[in-house]
Amino acid sequence: MRGMQRGEETYNVVVIGGGTAGLVTAAGTAGLGGRAALIERARMGGDCLNTGCVPSKALISSARLIEKIRQAESWGLDRQEPRFQFDAVFARMRERRSKIAPHDSQDRFESLGVDVFRGQAKFLSPREVQVEDTVLKARNFVIATGTRALVPQVDGLDRVPYYTNETVFDDLKEKPRRLVVLGGGPTGCELGQVFARLGVEVTILQRSDRLLRREDPDASELLFACLQREGVNILTGAQARLAAAHEGTIRIWADVKGEGTRHPIDCDAILVASGRMPNVEDLGLEAAGVAFTDKGVTVNEYLQTTQPHIYAAGDVAGPHLFTHVAESHARTIVRNILLPQWKSKREDSREDSVVPWCTYTSPEVARVGLNETEAQEKKIACDVWRQPLAHVDRAVVESEEE
């Protein structure tokens, strides 16, 4: 292979997407002596680094400190109000993100032996993919293109300014007085609480009858009460129907369960956090013979698509949209391609899989594997123990007993 130029001959693996799944796949392949190419059309690092985990948790970190200062008396300090500048908090978030970014950079991955190509990838056939003016051939391909924010069908929403996780961290230039969050899932709850702690009047519209509908009802109820106590207005069973702007004010009309007329809400900014959709367009998947649905690329338990030499990993393969699952997918794929004698199944495909995840609200809502509600739905007998943190000495002395 020595002397071979970028794009020439056949790669062991061509990876499409420079997020967690794609980066780990490319690095793992190169580290085991395989020839790997990585194609990324936007920013290296994908959602986690640029528009997801890293910036959101950086803001959460600042917001938690702000709230602790507000509650200083709980720690025996004098009562005080936190002093901060909204734009300085966002600047700190971007600085923290830039500190992490080199780990996912093009330079670093090229230093690991990965050929990085920038641009939109498109399959020409099951064995060829084009990026810009270059056609790459490979024995195996990995689709790791992730997901993007799902924008709900709300009449007029396309005619008013709104943010998603892909734009709010970089495009929001000043503090809005009032914010409406469309969606009460993990992203909506985390960022809704952050903005409220930064002094913004926040309203969360949640379509289902409770927040964090994938969690147990008692966890949802506790978080609901905590957010309300911090001043967040929450409307459950609420669906936005119409949006319009007039003289700098945005008005949303929502159908709210139990209310006979549409509920109007005025705001200065909208944050869409109502779900995700897979990035499967413009990839030429039809030309590659790869099946996909509106949920993502169809894969088997080995993460193979309908073309056995083409794999899919991370959010685009679903169903768990987590960075640690994407990394697990990548390890499985590298092993299955380069070490087929030790071929393994994806860890999250088993009925007894114990995928952990956490929503970084205050209090945090975390789980590993099935929760009580899911066990009941699957008719799996289970015992339940409840341990109030108010009875745990460590939590009490930290003033974290809720």
Side-chain angles (χ1 to χ4, degrees):
M1 293 288 184
R2 287 185 179 179
M4 193 175 297
Q5 299 297 311
R6 279 167 44 93
E8 291 183 349
E9 301 301 329
T10 301
Y11 286 91
N12 292 103
V13 181
V14 168
V15 181
I16 304 173
T20 298
L23 294 176
V24 174
T25 301
T29 300
L32 289 173
R35 187 165 183 251
L38 175 70
I39 303 172
E40 172 53 52
R41 67 180 180 180
R43 293 186 287 183
M44 295 284 286
D47 276 351
C48 183
L49 171 66
N50 298 295
T51 61
C53 313
V54 170
S56 66
K57 275 53 183 179
L59 288 181
I60 287 170
S61 178
S62 295
R64 282 181 176 173
L65 178 56
I66 288 169
E67 188 62 22
K68 276 200 170 185
I69 294 172
R70 286 197 182 103
Q71 305 299 328
E73 288 180 301
S74 296
W75 279 267
L77 281 65
D78 293 341
R79 181 181 181 85
Q80 55 192 292
E81 279 298 314
R83 297 172 59 188
F84 64 92
Q85 297 296 322
F86 183 88
D87 56 353
V89 172
F90 268 65
R92 183 258 180 190
M93 170 268 292
R94 298 181 188 113
E95 182 272 329
R96 294 289 91 185
R97 182 177 59 185
S98 66
K99 192 175 183 68
I100 297 171
H103 183 77
D104 293 345
S105 68
Q106 179 171 339
D107 287 345
R108 177 173 181 265
F109 275 78
E110 287 178 340
S111 75
L112 297 175
V114 178
D115 289 346
V116 179
F117 296 84
R118 308 306 290 266
Q120 173 66 46
K122 186 173 184 178
F123 281 99
L124 303 178
S125 72
R127 297 284 179 179
E128 297 174 305
V129 67
Q130 182 172 1
V131 52
E132 301 298 326
D133 297 326
T134 303
V135 176
L136 304 177
K137 298 180 180 180
R139 298 185 184 91
N140 299 277
F141 295 88
V142 178
I143 301 166
T145 50
T147 59
R148 65 184 183 276
L150 173 64
V151 179
Q153 296 294 316
V154 178
D155 188 23
L157 186 60
D158 59 342
R159 296 188 293 275
V160 302
Y162 65 84
Y163 299 95
T164 69
N165 73 294
E166 290 145 22
T167 59
V168 69
F169 300 115
D170 292 297
D171 294 353
L172 182 63
K173 302 303 183 185
E174 59 184 21
K175 174 183 170 181
R177 186 168 68 86
R178 300 160 299 179
L179 174 71
V180 168
V181 181
L182 302 183
T187 300
C189 288
E190 286 181 358
L191 293 182
Q193 187 174 48
V194 163
F195 278 100
R197 290 178 166 185
L198 293 177
V200 177
E201 295 178 22
V202 175
T203 299
I204 295 177
L205 301 183
Q206 169 68 329
R207 290 183 60 179
S208 67
D209 60 358
R210 59 188 178 89
L211 301 174
L212 301 183
R213 59 183 178 82
R214 296 182 67 182
E215 308 299 344
D216 281 328
D218 52 355
S220 297
E221 291 164 7
L222 175 60
L223 182 60
F224 184 98
C226 292
L227 291 179
Q228 273 200 325
R229 190 166 58 250
E230 291 189 21
V232 179
N233 182 33
I234 304 167
L235 297 175
T236 57
Q239 186 166 358
R241 294 296 189 185
L242 177 66
H246 178 65
E247 295 183 351
T249 296
I250 303 169
R251 174 165 287 186
I252 295 175
W253 286 267
D255 288 339
V256 181
K257 187 176 180 180
E259 296 187 10
T261 58
R262 284 192 171 168
H263 190 108
I265 307 127
D266 288 342
C267 63
D268 305 296
I270 299 171
L271 175 63
V272 173
S274 52
R276 309 290 295 174
M277 62 187 300
N279 293 319
V280 293
E281 301 85 2
D282 304 320
L283 290 174
L285 296 181
E286 297 87 351
V290 171
F292 62 94
T293 69
D294 60 356
K295 300 295 184 182
V297 176
T298 304
V299 295
N300 63 14
E301 56 194 358
Y302 299 103
L303 292 165
Q304 293 169 302
T305 68
T306 45
Q307 291 282 2
H309 70 289
I310 302 178
Y311 295 76
D315 290 4
V316 77
H320 301 294
L321 311 187
F322 304 119
T323 299
H324 51 287
V325 171
E327 184 175 347
S328 175
H329 284 181
R331 291 197 302 267
T332 297
I333 288 174
V334 170
R335 188 160 54 240
N336 290 347
I337 290 176
L338 296 183
L339 305 168
Q341 67 272 29
W342 294 330
K343 191 173 182 180
S344 63
K345 298 179 181 179
R346 57 189 292 186
E347 293 180 12
D348 61 323
S349 68
R350 304 192 312 269
E351 187 67 28
D352 63 344
S353 87
V354 285
V355 177
W357 72 76
C358 178
T359 300
Y360 292 85
T361 48
S362 297
E364 293 183 351
V365 181
R367 60 185 290 189
V368 179
L370 295 179
N371 60 19
E372 182 184 2
T373 303
E374 291 170 337
Q376 292 170 346
E377 290 173 349
K378 294 176 179 290
K379 301 188 186 315
I380 297 173
C382 64
D383 294 318
V384 178
W385 288 267
R386 286 185 170 85
Q387 174 62 61
L389 285 179
H391 298 167
V392 177
D393 294 351
R394 169 69 188 276
V396 172
V397 299
E398 294 282 356
S399 294
E400 296 288 354
E401 64 263 42
E402 187 155 42

